[in-house]
Every structure is written in structure tokens, then in C-alpha cells.
Amino acid sequence: MEFPFGYGLHLENYSASSGHYPQVPHEAVPSQLDNQYVADYHSACYSIPVQSVMTPSVGPSMLNTQQLYSGAPHPVESAGGLTQGAISSASYLHTSVPQSYSALSSHYSSSTSSSVASQGFSLSSGHYAMPTISSALYPNLSYPSMSVGSPYGQVFTSQSLPAVGQFKETNTFPNQSSAVPRTLQQQITLGYNSTSWSTSDFQSAQDNFSRNNTGSLAKASSQINTVGILDSLHPVSQNVQFTNPGVETSVVSSAVTSSIRTPVGDHLTEPASVPSSTQPSESLLQEAIDSSSTTSSASPVINNYDALEGGGYPETNSATSSPAPTPQTSRMPKPFGYGYPTLQPGYQNATPSTSAMQPSNPGHHSGFQQYPQQYPGVNQLSSTLGGLSLQHSQQPESLRPVNLTQERNILPVSPVLAPVPNLNSDLRKLNCSPDSFRCTLTNIPQTQALLNKAKLPLGLLLHPFRDLTQLPVITSSTIVRCRSCRTYINPFVSFIDQRRWKCNLCYRVNDVPEEFMYNPLTRSYGEPHKRPEVQNSTVEFIASSDYMLRPPQPAVYLFVLDVSHNAVEAGYLTIVCQSLLENLDKLPGDSRTRIGFITFDSTVHFYNLQEGLSQPQMLIVSDIDDVFLPTPDSLLVNLHESKELIKDLLSALPNMFINTRETHSALGPALQAAFKLMSPTGGRISVFQSQLPSLGAGLLHSREDPNQRSSTKVVQHLGPATDFYKKLALDCSGQQTAVDLFLLSSQYADLASLACMSKYSAGCIYYYPSFHHSHNPAQAEKLQKDLKRYLTRKIGFEAVMRIRCTKGLSIHTFHGNFFVRSTDLLSLANINPDAGFAVQMSIEESLTDTSLVCFQTALLYTSSKGERRIRVHTLCLPVVTSLSDVYAGADVQAAVCLLANMAVDRSVSSSLSDARDALVNAVVDSLSAYISTASNLQQSTLIAPNSLRLFPLYVLALLKQKAFRTGTSTRLDDRIYAMCQIKSQPLVHLMKMIHPNLYRIDRLTNEGAIHVNDRVVPQPPLQKLSAEKLTREGAFLMDCGSIFYIWIGKSCDNSFIKDVLGYPNYASVPQKLTQLPELDTLSSERARSFITWLRDSRPLNPVLQVIRDESPAKTDFFQHLVEDRTEAAFSYYEFLLHIQQQICK
Amino acid sequence: NIFKFVQFKFLLCSYLITFDELKTDYKNPIDQCNTLNPTVEKVKKIKRVKIALKLVLPEYLIHAFFCVMFLCAAEWLTLGLNMPLLAYHIWRYMSRPVMSGPGLYDPTTIMNADILAYCQKEGWCKLAFYLLSFFYYLYGMIYVLVSS
């Protein structure tokens, strides 16, 4: 009878901890309740420890939820062990729910024997090559004897936690560690548990349904339960956030972590086998206890959110709860001793930002300032964690005044990260990834007046259709949404009770549908808050027919190719046809995919590719004033049925027009024909154009005056010359057709007018200035690689995107390529993963009655497989009332990107100089507003809060950007293209365009290198963009987003030139070098792996250009050195002085 | 001729309603702009608002017509009151976005909060002006009738 004894021990711990409660503000009442129960009901005493045993095991089940379909099968495999292996491997992301339902239920019946659990575990551990740390823990825990599910789970969490250590906060550790001693005791009580197995399983099933009856007991224990559940949530969501970024999954700082991290995701899901076995063990005790523990797991969330709504800060809960187990930690430090030291390097390196996050709370809420003193245990713990230096709190850091004129090295050595919203840790970890969803102010000002005072733009930067490696996909017959504002249920809603939830956008109370009560992943009933929808801020729903206006369209691709003399001469046809041939099978689509081709010069040519023909049939329509479709049915053909004909055509096309003398281009009529062809289905039109359209509708005239290219005065013709393309785009958009434009011209082609066809039909624009297949091989290579990406990337059809936000906020303006259908609805004929959007927001009503605001974007689209899907992102941000908090939360990169978007609008609607002035004023206004708030600062110096210290630099870079620069010779098309890019690029890529990254690459070392796919990628520090950083002895790499420059100094080390470039000395390096040879030297390997790593981080392949110091191309390089003075523009220091002058005025 | 102002007022009302609707409702701005811009075939498509007259151009034309009438009648004071609005209309039409057909509103920018708010405000101001001038003309008409 050691069992009760074991629990008694914990009881002691808990009563000790409850003694702590009253010290913490906000939590007095619950703790009283708690004490009362301890006194009154003996059973309650039991329930407390049981919960804490339970909680970790809930943790894993949450993990499971997070992982969703990638993870769901694993528990099945590990628990069910023998039967379900196949499913786990097969159903990666897309397993439909019914499948996993059945899998789970079958597991349910088979998991009665305790041996299965342990066996399952060993199975899965083999699977995932468990990190060494956890195996170090195994010996003293001897798994086979661990028949009881819950300890099993605990041990697991305590192991996996160190692995996830980066994300864990200190105060959660004590709680987890408290689990460990318990498990040790549980081992001793072995026999007892194993006998109980068979009966308990049955009981637990009953329990599942009797939970709702629990009543008061649940309430009482909920406080304690918060400890475990809320905390055990943390590793989960963080983990997912880290794995989500997809491309960046592998960005890990040391070998140790990288080897651990990847398993962690899967590894954490394994314990999901546990919950099933947990229930039996609890149900051994009393039904009441059991149910209380399970129900109460719902209530913490309620408490948490009630606190939010009431204006109090949610930290209270987790904070109160976390200190409770602290004494235990100090008593039981042992189990951690093994895991920790090994992990620390990774811990420190991988997440510098997370370690900085946590302390923001003390800084922000006075209530918390005494907290470290009150609970020395936490402090001790943090000191034992070493690397987690908690001393720098984010709040003061981002507000630290920086004297801009005196700070010489303003640019950090590592890339700038997005600021983390000052939320409590649970919400923060549930929050949407900054890569998909970013706000310019991570602290939302309460009123418009406050926002006006801060003089910062408020807006969102979206990248909604980003490629994600892990995305929870939910199939459910009812998608739970708010009945009044139609918001999708999300992690930031509050559950009032089991049956009702409160919308976080409009505050309406909604019913939880019956179906939502059942969680298919944990196989449990009555836990709506654990559904994946409520655990992930980025989810994708498979929509039912309610979300369709018509049956989902097939993927339809139409290529409209310019075959006039100019185009043939440039030789793009070969590249396009070749890329198409290569990627024909990789075009996203299903068996219904259709494809068609139109070529045009002064006439429009159609190609009949109907199945059964022996060869493609060309049909010429010369009546360009009234274009008609010669054979409407056979021009767009099924890709699979007519594949041979298509291949024939593609191989024949490049040579068909080789001797053409036709110089005219009838783009307008060709587009009209394309629209007619596409309008029954919708889809994507890809237009390749090489010159100014000169015939038929939509003909354009050259508007550029080359002598005005470097004018400092007025830049004209930024707007379209005709509305033909806009109207066409709107018609296309109405028929769910997007037009993508590839402009490959060597001369002025009036992109300002042509771009309209893509802008308003949600297409994308690619521009290859002075394209020629042989004279300009770099562009040819770029086209080829861009095409590969373009043809194979994901695509969504007939999409709409709606952005909802908390009552009080409203959308002011959208930026991007789309058509605005209503004040919050964008119509996107196509959506591609490279499209970014920006939204300006305004505060219409003051947000006094809420402490959090949420933004939700819902993107409804038809996938290339003909499924209707909804991708939902939800972002949650705190509301602040003081100006300094607004500044503290400013996200300078997002703000600059939004300003750039606004400036593009301004330069088109007003003038370029207006836009430039507006940009400068944005800096001047915000900095002077900041200086006037910080009254203690000297008025004469130029001070910026740390969060905005890069603001002047970025704005200066923006002023020197092709889109906005004056004085430097800029071709009109280049300028317009830069503007189009600003409007449609997602933030990450836009930032590189505005402010390129400069690295020195002739001395790459492995110091601080990261490991990606077994490759060592050196991480050289960022250099500021100034010629003073360039030394003649060095070689520098500049990453401008779409192009890489490598600049070689005159007296660059010969060994670098030899080892990396493959030439004997500096003089022999050719003028046009666009590739690094694969040499078998260490420095070459390092340079190449670094460049490959940079390349992999973006969708479009950048061109590499090696520039010698005296080559004529060096101006291209030097124009990006934004901190230097040019003839027409300020240097950075001069710019600062200019701002200072403006402020003092 | 003054009686025509009754119709005129109705016209303005409906004009205003449309913009109000645009903001609160989810009507497609393409249709919206087509209603407001006089493209004859599209006018048939209007389902929600019955009065098909709510077009910007007729409003401008009627107003210009009245101004001409006042000019003929040598009603200098009234003409003087109406001149600013006439000038505004001319300016407004000159600075309309690039478009091939007649019209004033661009469906791609109409949803911008600033522009929408501006259009609405413009609508209200004009309504007030037309209402006041309607009563003024009515007064003028009765005065003339009585005195003759």
C-alpha cells in the first residue's frame, strides 16, 4: 500500500504551495476555495495530486493535437502497436478524420494490456532515434514496469521538455519536475496498477461521458490544474511554431539541438498513447476525482480568459500556479541533472528571442515585480539554467533610448527578428507565426488619438498562403464559427462553459455544436478547448459544399506567348517551352487539369490540341478587332489526355516562328481571346510579352522620356495610360481568372499600364529587363529558375480572403494584387504562396473594454486537387494605453514595409516627391513625438526608442530604392516594377529588397555556424551598407533578395580567388561570372553552402553576379550601399542631421 | 421649371443611399460603380435599388442645366450660389481616374476607406445643399406667384 503514501507526499507539497497563493494578487479567491476543499473533502485531497499526475499526460495529448494528422497516427501506432503501423506512415498531413477515428477506436479496444503500452513505446522510440538525453534517463525508470499510463506520460514529458527546453519558461519546470519524483514512486507500486488495468479501462469509458456532471469539485480543483495544463501547453505550441516555419525548420544552431529538435515533434506525440492508459489509472480512484480532473482541465481556460476580458492580465494564472511546485524542485533536482547540461548550447543559440521574452512580464505589470523575490525558487532555477539569462527584460530594452547620431553601429550583426507581442506565455505560444501575420504595432494603442500621437502606421503584413511544412488540416462537417460575425473558432476565444464559447471579435456567446465536443485526436469527449482548431492559430479546414458557389473548378492553365520578331530574337520561347516540358507532370492539378496555348504577333494563333489529332493544329485569327474563338471546345484540353500533342507542340513552338518578320504585337486582342477562353472555368493565364503592345485594343505608346530618367523633379507616367488592362483584369477577376505577366523586354514596355492586368486580377508580375538568351545569360537562367518555381508551386483557385478584426478596429486600405470586393473582403482569382498583402488599419472605437485584440484572416480557396479549403490565421495582440508602450511594441520592419506600400499609392495618386516627403515625415513625426514624450531627454539630440532605432536607416534605404529614388538614372519600367514588388512581396523578401544584407565572405569560419541537412552553414556577421566596410583585401556578398552580388576587392587574397572562384588571380576573374565553381576546398565549400542556404530561404532563385572592383557593373553594387552619400542623396549621417533639423523646427 | 427639383431631390437621396449601402453592405463594387457610372447595359442589372436614375452624370447634367436656366432668367443671385458647385463638378470630373468610358468612380479604389468616406461626405453635403436650394426655389416660386 505504497500508493496512498505516495500521494500523501504530494498532498503535502500542494498544501505548502497553496500557502503561497494568497501572496499573489488576483488569485486570492481561488486559493481559498482550494483550501476549503482540502479541508472539507478528503476526496478532494486526493483529487489534487491526481490532477497533477494527470496533467503531464494531458500535455502529451495536447501535443498530439498540435501535431494533428502528422502526429495522430503515431499514438495509434505506439499504443495499438501491432495493428496500425501502416496508417501512421501513410497519413501524413491529409488523413481524413474518419480514418483516424477508426484507427483510434480500434486502438481503444486493443490497448487493454499494459504490456502493449510499453511495447508500443519501445517501438516508437526505435522509430525516432531518441535523443541521448532521454535515453540517459531511461535506466532509472525501467519502462516495462511502468504499467500505469500516467507516470509513463510524465516521465516522457520531463524528458521531452529539456529537449524542447528552448521554449520552456522557468516556472513551468518546477511543475514538470514535480512529476518525476512521483513517477519514481509509481514504479514501486507496480503490481497494484497492472492488476487494475482491465477494469479501469471500462470505467474510464464511462467517465468520458459522465464528466459533465462534475460541478463544484471541478471548479475547486481547476486552479491547481491550471498549473499543469497551461504549462504543459507551452512546449506544445512552441514546438509547433518552430516546426511550422517550414523552410526554417532546419535553422538550428548546433548539432545537438538539430538532432533533437526534429525528433521532438514526433517524439512528443508518442506519449499520446498515454492518455488512454491514464484514464484507467485514475478511474481506479474515484469517479468523482477523475471527472473533476478532466473537467477542470476545461476550466483553467475559462479562468484564464475571464481574466482577460475583465482587463486583468492572464499571467496571473500561470504565475500563481507555477510557484506552487517550486519547493519540490529544490528538493528534487536530480532528474533534471542529466538532461540539462547537454542541452544548454542549443538552448542558448536557437532562441535568443524566447529567452528575452519571458521577462517582459515583470517589466510590464507591477504586480509581478515582487514575484522573483517572493519565490526565490524560481530565481534559483533560472540561475541553474544558466543560459537563460532572464535579466534583460524586453520592455526596457525596446524602449531604451538610443542616440542615433552617436551610435555608429546601429545595425545588429544578426538578422533582425520580429518583436514578440507582450502577451502572456500561453497566448504567445498559441499566436500566429510572424512569418505569416505581422502587425506594425505589437501593442495596439487603445484609441485613435493615442495612435495619432504615436505617429506610427498601424497595419498588418500578411503572407497567408505561405508554404508550410506542418499545417493542421481539419475535416469536419460543421466548421464552428461565430453566428454573428462569422469568425472561425480560434485559440483566443473563451469557453464560458462546456457548451458555450464567446467570440473574441464580436463578443457574442455561441453554442458549441455537439460534434465539436468530441476530440478525434485524444478520442475524448467534452473537451472542446482541446480541439485542433482551438490549439492552433493557423489551421486549414476542408470546407463543405456550403462554401461553394459552384463545383470546385479544375486547374486550368493558359499560356499566352508573344511570338513577334522581338520576342523570337530574345529567345525566351525555348526556355519557356523547355521549362514547361520538364514540369508538365509537376503542374499542380488532378485528373481534370486543363491546359491551352495562344500565341500572338499581329494576329492571334490558337492551337487545337484535341485528343485524337495526329499533330497540333494551329488556327490563326487575323480579325483582331473582334477576336473570336475558332473552336471553343478544343483549345483548352485535358493535360493527361492530350499530353503527347502538348509535348509535340512545346517542342515545335520555339522553331515555328524563327523566321518571322512580324514586329507588331497585338497583346490586347490576345488577352481578350484568352479571357473568352477562360471565362467558363476560371484559372490562370500566363502572359509572356516582350514589347510595347502596338496593335488592336489596349495599344500603348511610349511615354518615357529617357532624358528625364535621372530627373530630380517630377516623375510622370507612374499610372496607367489606359484602363483597358484594368477593365480586362476586373472582368477576369469576375470570372475567377488571374493574369500573370512575364515582361521580357529590352526597351520601355509601359509596365505601368500592363501591370494592371495582374494587379487587379490577383496575378503576379515578373520583369526581366534587357532579357536575351545569349547576351544576358544571367537573366535567362533567372527566367528558367523562376519558371520552375512558378509552374510547380502551390496554387489556389477562386479564392476570397476576408480579414476580420476585433470590434472597434476597421480596415482602412488594402495593398497587394487583388480586387477589393467589400470593405473587408478581397477577391483573389488565384492565390500563390509568394503573394504578400498589407492592410492599413484604423481604430474607429476606443478599445477600452478589452485588453486583447485579434485579427483573423480566412482564405477560402479551391486547391489544385479540387478541394475547397479555408486557411485561417489568427493573431492576438495586447492593447495598451500609454504612449511608451506603443513605442515599445513597434515592429520597425513591418512599419517600413507598410510605409513603402503607402508611399507607392501616394506616388501614383499624387507624385513621387510627395511620397518621398511623406516617408521622411513619417520618421520625423514619430521620432519627434517620441522625444516629446520622453521629457527627461535632451531635446537637442536625436533619440529613438530601441525598437525604432533602425527606422531612419530603413527609410533612407527606401528613399534610395529604385521605386522612390530621384536623381539617379532609373528606367521607368524598373521603377514601376520595384513598386509592383513592394505592393505584392511578403515582408521577408521586401525587407531584403529595401535593405540588402552584406556579408564578408573571404574569411568564413565555422564560428556560430548552423547545421542544415548535414551541411555546415557559416553565419558571417551582417555588415552595414557602407563603403567603409569594404576593404580591398576582402570579398563581400550582398543579398538583395532577387540578386546576389559578390564584390571582389582589388587586392583580394589570391587564395580566396583560387579556392572559391577557381581563377589564379584577381586579374583573370572574368567580367561576367554568374556561378561559383564546385571546388573541393574548404573555403569554397563554405561559401557555396552559405549561398545555397541563402537561396533556399526564398522562393525565386536569385541571380549571382561576381563583380570585380573596377568592372562597370560595380555601380549596381554600390547603389545598394545606402549609408553612403551619393550625388543626389544623403548619407545616413546627413539624413540623421536632416531629421534632427526637421524635428527642431 | 422649379418643380423639377422635387425629382432632383429624390435623385440625390438615392445617390446617397447607394454609398451608404456600399459601406455597410457587401455589394460588389464593380456593379456599384457601373450603376454610378452610366454604362447603359449595366444599369439593367441593378436589383437592389429600384430607382435607376442614381447616376452621377445625370446629376451633374441636371445641375448644369439649372445653372443655364438661371443664367437665361438672369437670376444672378441664385446663379452665384450655384456656381461653386458647378465649378466643383467640373473639377471633379476633370480629375477622375483614367477610364475609357464616362464615369467618376473606379471600382478598384472605391473601397479605400478614405475615398469611400469622402464620397459619402460629399453626398451628404450635396444633399443638404440641394435641400436648402429646393426650399429656396420653392419660396422664390411662391413669391413670384403671389406677387404677380
Side-chain angles (χ1 to χ4, degrees), chain A residues 451-515:
Chain A
L451 177 62
N452 292 343
K453 229 188 268 173
K455 303 271 185 198
L456 288 167
L458 174 61
L460 304 171
L461 276 296
L462 303 170
H463 191 181
F465 203 54
R466 202 163 61 93
D467 286 323
L468 297 166
T469 46
Q470 275 189 325
L471 173 71
V473 178
I474 295 157
T475 316
S476 170
S477 57
T478 51
I479 295 172
V480 182
R481 299 174 68 178
C482 172
R483 281 168 64 93
S484 74
C485 68
R486 308 300 290 149
T487 300
Y488 295 84
I489 196 164
N490 60 67
F492 310 105
V493 302
S494 42
F495 283 94
I496 288 171
D497 53 37
Q498 289 277 305
R499 294 277 166 194
R500 288 178 305 161
W501 61 279
K502 191 171 176 185
C503 174
N504 54 338
L505 269 67
C506 66
Y507 310 121
R508 186 190 201 276
V509 176
N510 293 279
D511 292 335
V512 176
E514 186 58 32
E515 194 186 341

Side-chain angles (χ1 to χ4, degrees), chain A residues 249-434:
Chain A
T249 2
S250 43
V251 184
V252 172
S253 310
S254 74
V256 185
T257 29
S258 71
S259 65
I260 289 168
R261 174 94 49 87
T262 9
V264 161
D266 305 348
H267 164 77
L268 284 174
T269 61
E270 286 157 25
S273 61
V274 171
S276 59
S277 40
T278 318
Q279 282 165 357
S281 80
E282 309 160 22
S283 57
L284 280 183
L285 296 165
Q286 287 173 20
E287 202 173 304
I289 295 168
D290 174 71
S291 53
S292 76
S293 67
T294 32
T295 334
S296 59
S297 59
S299 24
V301 182
I302 295 167
N303 289 337
N304 191 3
Y305 276 85
D306 277 352
L308 292 186
E309 308 268 318
Y313 265 81
E315 278 91 343
T316 43
N317 261 333
S318 54
T320 10
S321 44
S322 46
T326 310
Q328 283 186 337
T329 342
S330 44
R331 254 181 257 164
M332 277 288 179
K334 266 277 162 182
F336 270 128
Y338 300 107
Y340 254 94
T342 355
L343 271 160
Q344 278 205 0
Y347 198 119
Q348 288 169 307
N349 287 337
T351 51
S353 58
T354 31
S355 62
M357 279 178 217
Q358 206 245 349
S360 62
N361 304 342
H364 212 52
H365 315 294
S366 55
F368 279 87
Q369 274 164 351
Q370 327 94 304
Y371 165 48
Q373 287 90 39
Q374 272 184 343
Y375 307 108
V378 175
N379 263 349
Q380 276 171 19
L381 196 81
S382 73
S383 61
T384 53
L385 294 181
L388 242 184
S389 71
L390 298 173
Q391 274 68 39
H392 309 287
S393 82
Q394 183 211 12
Q395 218 57 21
E397 180 60 24
S398 59
L399 267 182
R400 180 172 60 89
V402 177
N403 191 334
L404 292 172
T405 42
Q406 278 169 21
E407 191 97 10
R408 287 209 36 90
N409 293 314
I410 201 91
L411 198 70
V413 288
S414 56
V416 184
L417 298 169
V420 181
N422 182 32
L423 293 165
N424 77 332
S425 46
D426 314 321
L427 293 180
R428 190 187 294 150
K429 280 156 189 174
L430 287 172
N431 224 342
C432 194
S433 151

Side-chain angles (χ1 to χ4, degrees), chain A residues 186-199:
Chain A
Q186 290 279 355
Q187 280 174 41
I188 309 165
T189 64
L190 211 200
Y192 171 59
N193 292 319
S194 52
T195 46
S196 64
W197 258 116
S198 50
T199 48

